[in-house]
Amino acid sequence: MRVIAVDDELMSLMRLERILREIPGVTFAAGYQNPEEALLHQQEAKPELALLDVEMPQMSGLSLAERLKQGNPELEIIFVTAHEQYALKAYQQNAIGYLLKPVQVEDVRAQLERVLRYRRQPIRAEAMLLCSVFGSFHIHFAPDPTKLIEFRTEKTAELLALLINQRGKPISRDAISDLLWPDMSGERATRNFHTTAYNLRHAFAELGCENVLQRTHESYRLDLRWIQSDLDVFCRAMELDEADPDWLAAAEAGVNAYTGAYMANMDYLWLMDHQAFYEYQYEKLCRRLTERHAREQRLESALDAARRWARQCPLSEEAYDCLIRLYRLSGNAEKANQEQAAFQRRYQREMAEDPDA
């Protein structure tokens, strides 16, 4: 692994170089006293890891890390500092670790071994986290599905829910702060965000899931390779074209994945539009699946799809119209009449009016 070090103090830089050159598996690519030189020679040095002093007069290590990662998002960062309070800022910068001055050989070895171990172990083919969003929002540890993951604060869980909702797409820190702390001043909301993001990273790290929360240019996303979700199953069905040979199986899986309203146990302010969207998409998917089965003369399968649709959407006129028609088509007029009468009573009770004729 190729490593660079940046420290404006020559003696500290020489000490880091001496330690790094003695560690097996590490190639010391370059050392710089000037952060601008590290940026200028980044392509030449091709670092995989950078050890950066936090406090430098020309440019702070935090700023340098951000600029280095712009050129190489996969670059790992370890901060070196004389002040332990910078540890939180280090993790907020998505650093893999930090070292306290005066740097000790055993501490450098421990940090480097952690990086090497992380890089040697590819993300497993099977996700480490199992996330459910339909019916209720919760997340389990895949090696032990009975282990429900709990978070230090409610906002930590909400941040995870928001990032799951993004489906791997980045969202800016400011947008997150506006959604999670809408009534809070900008500076205070930003401070709360960094604490919450740290809590989320810490929760993942305790499970052995490294770098799940990723940061690029003040935006954040989840590495979904770690997470298996019923949302993925549903969205694949939603997005496939019906002409695709895999559509029917995907649609069945998607309908089965929708076990209730989207994150129904949560009352986040930003959630309502998404709940309405997924309910609409569920009805649309059920309609297409039911029509496909009926068109291809699979009446029992069509009835089964319509029953699931009606069960999840008990006030949907379209679902019950479809179900009643299929019962009549199958010759079961008695069941059709029972469903029609039950739906009419329920609709009158809930909506205080009659359903469409």
Side-chain angles (χ1 to χ4, degrees), residues 177-178 181-182 184-194:
S177 297
D178 288 343
W181 297 278
M184 197 172 286
S185 66
E187 183 178 344
R188 188 179 170 200
T190 298
R191 193 161 57 245
N192 279 1
F193 165 77
H194 284 309

Side-chain angles (χ1 to χ4, degrees), residues 9-237:
E9 297 177 4
L10 180 59
M11 296 303 293
S12 295
L13 185 61
M14 291 174 64
R15 179 178 176 80
L16 275 175
E17 179 179 352
R18 186 174 64 252
I19 293 171
L20 290 167
R21 288 190 183 281
E22 295 175 356
I23 298 177
V26 170
T27 298
F28 184 75
Y32 307 98
Q33 285 184 265
N34 189 328
E36 293 290 352
E37 288 186 17
L39 290 168
L40 182 63
H41 297 290
Q42 182 178 7
Q43 296 303 316
E44 177 187 336
K46 296 182 174 61
E48 299 168 87
L49 170 69
L51 275 67
L52 310 179
D53 185 22
V54 173
E55 293 182 284
M56 294 183 285
Q58 307 96 328
M59 181 190 307
S60 77
L62 301 174
S63 298
L64 176 59
E66 187 168 354
R67 292 180 64 182
L68 285 170
K69 287 179 77 69
Q70 287 174 6
N72 178 13
E74 301 301 317
L75 179 67
E76 301 290 358
I77 302 292
I78 291 177
F79 286 110
V80 183
T81 176
H83 304 287
E84 195 164 3
Q85 67 263 29
Y86 284 112
L88 178 57
K89 288 187 177 180
Y91 285 114
Q92 289 167 356
Q93 286 283 85
N94 217 9
I96 200 166
Y98 73 100
L99 294 164
L100 287 176
K101 291 183 176 182
V103 171
Q104 303 299 314
V105 175
E106 57 271 22
D107 293 336
V108 178
R109 286 181 178 275
Q111 288 284 357
L112 268 290
E113 176 56 32
R114 181 183 177 210
V115 176
L116 288 168
R117 186 170 62 249
Y118 167 65
R119 294 178 72 87
R120 282 198 300 265
Q121 295 177 347
I123 293 175
R124 303 172 192 184
E126 294 185 3
M128 290 287 287
L129 304 170
L130 302 176
C131 179
S132 173
V133 299
F134 292 113
S136 64
F137 172 65
H138 54 264
I139 189 163
H140 289 83
F141 187 48
D144 180 7
T146 64
K147 182 177 180 180
L148 179 66
I149 299 171
E150 298 181 353
F151 297 97
R152 186 175 299 179
T153 66
E154 292 182 4
K155 284 298 180 184
T156 307
E158 185 174 359
L159 175 59
L160 176 60
L162 179 61
L163 293 168
I164 289 286
N165 183 71
Q166 288 291 115
R167 299 183 57 214
K169 297 189 293 292
I171 179 171
S172 73
R173 182 196 64 194
D174 290 343
I176 295 172
S177 297
D178 288 343
L179 290 169
L180 268 61
W181 297 278
D183 301 323
M184 197 172 286
S185 66
E187 183 178 344
R188 188 179 170 200
T190 298
R191 193 161 57 245
N192 279 1
F193 165 77
H194 284 309
T195 301
T196 303
Y198 172 79
N199 288 339
L200 185 56
R201 283 201 189 95
H202 182 71
F204 285 142
E206 283 191 328
L207 297 169
C209 304
E210 299 287 350
N211 205 29
V212 183
L213 178 60
Q214 300 183 338
R215 175 181 181 273
T216 307
H217 308 315
E218 296 301 326
S219 291
Y220 294 77
R221 63 180 291 275
L222 292 178
D223 184 346
L224 294 182
R225 291 175 297 174
W226 289 99
I227 302 170
Q228 180 180 318
S229 172
D230 51 1
L231 182 59
D232 297 331
V233 176
F234 183 82
C235 288
R236 181 171 186 269

Side-chain angles (χ1 to χ4, degrees), residues 134 234 253-262 275 278-279 282 312-313:
F134 292 113
F234 183 82
V255 167
N256 287 333
Y258 191 98
T259 56
Y262 185 62
Q275 289 174 329
Y278 284 114
E279 182 176 358
Y282 173 72
Q312 288 296 341
C313 305

